[in-house]
Amino acid sequence: MPDVFADLVGQDEAVDTLRRAAASAAAVLRAAHLPAPAVAAAADPEYDELDALADDDPAPATDGPADDPGAGMTHAWIFTGPPGSGRSVAARAFAAALQCVHGTGCGTCPGCHTTLTGTHADVRLVAPEGLSIGVGEMRALVLRAASTPSGGRWQVVIIEDADRLTEAAGNALLKAVEEPPPRTVFLLCAPSTHPDDVSVTIRSRCRVVPLRQPSAAAVAEMLVRRDGIAPDVAQWVAAAAQGHVGRARRLAGDPEARGRRDAVLAVPRRLTGVGTALDAASALIGAAEAEAEAAVAETDAAERAALQTALGAGGTGRGAAGATRGSAGQLKDLEKRQKSRATRAQRDALDRALVDLAGFYRDALTSALRAPVAPVHTDTAALAEAGGQKWAPEGALRRLEAVLACRAAIEANVKPRIAVEAMMLSLWRG
Ligand SMILES: [Zn+2]
């Protein structure tokens, strides 16, 4: 019977840690539900099982991180790993196990089910739509997280992309993590525990669950088992996605995603001069913009329509005109949020393209070195091999480095068009 951890591909160690923690959390709850000890109850008429729980908690967050892998439950966790390794999948699965009525993450009980479908009343998810998570959002969340869990188990707060917290939001979160309400659990997801991603003070209060990049074989196995994808398709998309589970699934099921990848992988053979290099840069940026626009268009329109309905747009009665004037600010806010989200979507789309391109030059390099490793892109392996022969290992490496430098530059806020043009010129010159 597959439980809530079944989709965490190739993460045996992390799953082991989380299972133990969930069992320990369930034991904490069972202890709290036992009749209060007669002495305590007699001595203190205000005796509260939550206080008893706080006393019994095997690893209260005030003790700092529990580095002993045998230690049980704690109040704050950070899931780290490369994109696509399943950070948020792991956080959700753990949340489900905490809410599971059997305490194991059985995958079928109402606690598991509602958590996984995102409707559990005591599980809140923060996912930044734009480039950062603001302080207002974080304060509201921390406040609600302090309330008693309605389901009688845990209040769980999942923060996806905790590396995108603004400084002020990080401080609001830190306060909550430092003095956690007894039944509140914070689950943070971030690429790493580097201070650029998570502040040292927050990190010091959290237990870290590192996730690794799953092997192509593990990803392929899951695509076959869970999504019913044909084994040969599963194998090539798993390799092409370079350990990114979501990307592999999209390549298998979405012809447009495959088309975009084909276009990216056609770039290396089209670079015949300065003009074609600049054209290729334009095409890459344009494709990322179009992909991002398609990704956010539906949500944007729905949000705009909902806000206009809420503000009574289209009303003709007295006061409708005044309401419309007053609502201009709210519309402006919404547009700002949507613009930030669109920028993020564009960067994500561009980054996926760059990762594909890096895979091609990596294949050229390994082929030039005659390294006994499987290619990332099986469908362009012959082309990469020809490139490797022509460029020699040094030339292939220079090109791979040009792609990686472009990603780093965009991450450091260089204008994408400038970074991509510089990369294309380097790829052409070699
Ligand atoms: Zn369950």
Side-chain angles (χ1 to χ4, degrees):
M1 186 76 220
D3 66 10
V4 294
F5 296 111
D7 290 344
L8 266 175
V9 188
Q11 311 290 355
D12 295 349
E13 245 172 81
V15 168
D16 212 42
T17 303
L18 296 176
R19 277 191 205 285
R20 271 207 300 270
S24 156
V28 169
L29 290 183
R30 271 197 304 278
H33 287 124
L34 288 175
V39 171
D44 179 6
E46 301 277 297
Y47 185 84
D48 182 344
E49 71 169 28
L50 287 183
D51 290 340
L53 168 81
D55 293 342
D56 293 346
D57 194 330
T62 44
D63 284 351
D67 287 329
D68 172 13
M73 186 52 188
T74 189
H75 283 284
W77 299 73
I78 300 182
F79 297 85
T80 62
S85 58
R87 298 179 305 230
S88 63
V89 176
R92 272 171 233 236
F94 185 43
L98 291 175
Q99 305 296 10
C100 174
V101 298
H102 306 294
T104 57
C106 66
T108 48
C109 76
C112 285
H113 187 72
T114 52
T115 303
L116 292 180
T117 52
T119 55
H120 197 293
D122 296 330
V123 179
R124 257 169 285 282
L125 177 77
V126 192
E129 294 193 326
L131 293 170
S132 61
I133 304 173
V135 65
E137 195 178 351
M138 186 52 62
R139 283 209 186 110
L141 187 84
V142 163
L143 202 64
R144 286 195 59 191
S147 60
T148 307
S150 61
R153 296 187 71 85
W154 305 94
Q155 282 282 8
V156 183
V157 178
I158 302 174
I159 302 174
E160 283 189 353
D161 300 311
D163 52 310
R164 294 186 199 165
L165 290 171
T166 61
E167 199 184 337
N171 288 337
L173 174 66
L174 177 63
K175 234 172 261 170
V177 174
E178 275 177 338
E179 291 169 31
R183 294 262 199 123
T184 304
V185 182
F186 290 92
L187 307 179
L188 281 57
C189 308
S192 76
T193 54
H194 189 279
D196 282 353
D197 288 338
V198 180
S199 81
V200 175
T201 39
I202 290 182
R203 153 75 187 89
S204 71
R205 299 283 174 180
C206 295
R207 187 162 165 194
V208 179
V209 180
L211 301 173
R212 58 187 85 213
Q213 180 170 310
S215 71
V219 173
E221 187 274 328
M222 188 198 68
L223 293 176
V224 172
R225 169 174 56 78
R226 200 186 65 176
D227 302 329
I229 291 166
D232 54 333
V233 175
Q235 255 152 34
W236 88 256
V237 295
Q242 303 177 62
H244 193 304
V245 179
R247 171 91 175 129
R249 192 177 300 127
R250 209 164 311 117
L251 281 177
D254 180 355
E256 280 182 28
R258 278 207 294 275
R260 283 192 293 265
R261 173 181 167 277
D262 289 347
V264 168
L265 292 178
V267 164
R269 64 175 163 237
R270 286 175 41 201
L271 296 174
T272 53
V274 176
T276 53
L278 294 180
D279 285 351
S282 276
L284 199 65
I285 298 278
E289 281 171 359
E291 185 185 347
E293 202 171 309
V296 298
E298 209 173 307
T299 329
D300 280 2
E303 281 176 354
R304 216 167 15 245
L307 182 61
Q308 275 164 353
T309 306
L311 295 172
T316 52
R318 274 167 65 93
T324 307
R325 275 196 301 276
S327 63
Q330 288 187 53
L331 268 172
K332 212 170 173 179
D333 274 356
L334 178 66
E335 277 166 11
K336 206 172 127 201
R337 272 207 312 281
Q338 292 185 336
K339 188 155 179 274
S340 177
R341 180 168 60 202
T343 305
R344 184 77 240 168
Q346 261 175 44
R347 287 204 190 170
D348 288 349
L350 187 56
D351 197 57
R352 275 193 291 279
L354 292 175
V355 168
D356 282 344
L357 204 53
F360 176 87
Y361 291 109
R362 176 259 188 210
D363 287 348
L365 177 62
T366 53
S367 147
L369 292 170
R370 305 194 185 287
V373 290
V376 169
H377 301 297
T378 44
D379 48 347
T380 53
L383 203 65
E385 196 183 330
Q389 272 173 14
K390 195 167 118 192
W391 303 324
E394 295 77 14
L397 181 60
R398 275 199 304 278
R399 288 168 173 85
L400 174 56
E401 281 175 339
V403 181
L404 300 180
C406 177
R407 287 185 78 198
I410 292 171
E411 190 60 38
N413 276 326
V414 172
K415 208 159 177 273
R417 179 172 298 273
I418 292 173
V420 171
E421 283 179 353
M423 174 191 77
M424 291 296 185
L425 289 172
S426 302
L427 291 179
W428 162 61
R429 283 200 208 99

